[in-house]
Amino acid sequence: SPTRGAERGTQTLERTETHRPRLWRVLLLNDDYTPMDFVVLVLERYFRKSEQDAQLVMLAVHHKGQGVAGVYTRDVAETKVAQVMAHARHEGHPLMVVAEPEA
Ligand code: TYC
């Protein structure tokens, strides 16, 4: 329901119902140079995977070209992308990480 701002001509719409935020996939892309161990470390440290899961995801990316590291709200997904890209560049690796909306 609309409410009038005191004499300032502003208007705020109030709603009771909310919606679940769209979720974003963080994808790892394969390349020929980033060491497998570094990708596993990234999956453990930034995406909270066990060593076993990290190995499986890394190998899937290596063989299929890309794979999902995790699914998050937009802010969290974009922060993970920035953190992992900064870490990879600092170590001199070309690893690419991107975020894309689900559905
Ligand atoms: N293809 C890389 C190699 O053979 C390993 C790798 C896996 C790189 C996953 C990037 O997202 C990646 N060293």
Side-chain angles (χ1 to χ4, degrees):
S1 62
T3 57
R4 275 278 150 207
E7 312 299 328
R8 285 186 288 107
T10 61
Q11 184 175 316
T12 304
L13 296 176
E14 257 178 55
R15 300 185 324 175
T16 302
E17 297 203 9
T18 58
H19 55 281
R20 284 166 288 124
R22 183 196 295 272
L23 295 178
W24 291 60
R25 287 189 283 263
V26 176
L27 303 178
L28 291 179
L29 309 187
N30 189 37
D31 68 73
D32 291 341
Y33 303 102
T34 302
M36 290 182 171
D37 283 355
F38 181 77
V39 179
V40 169
L41 176 144
V42 159
L43 286 162
E44 290 174 350
R45 183 180 299 178
Y46 296 94
F47 301 97
R48 309 186 62 110
K49 304 268 187 222
S50 67
E51 186 179 353
Q52 291 85 346
D53 282 1
Q55 284 280 355
L56 287 173
V57 172
M58 182 281 293
L59 284 176
V61 175
H62 177 70
H63 286 114
K64 298 179 197 173
Q66 66 176 53
V68 179
V71 178
Y72 306 96
T73 54
R74 185 178 185 169
D75 274 17
V76 174
E78 287 177 349
T79 298
K80 303 246 180 225
V81 168
Q83 288 174 332
V84 173
M85 295 284 282
H87 189 170
R89 293 305 171 272
H90 187 257
E91 301 290 328
H93 303 315
L95 180 65
M96 284 296 302
V97 190
V98 299
E100 67 171 27
E102 270 191 349

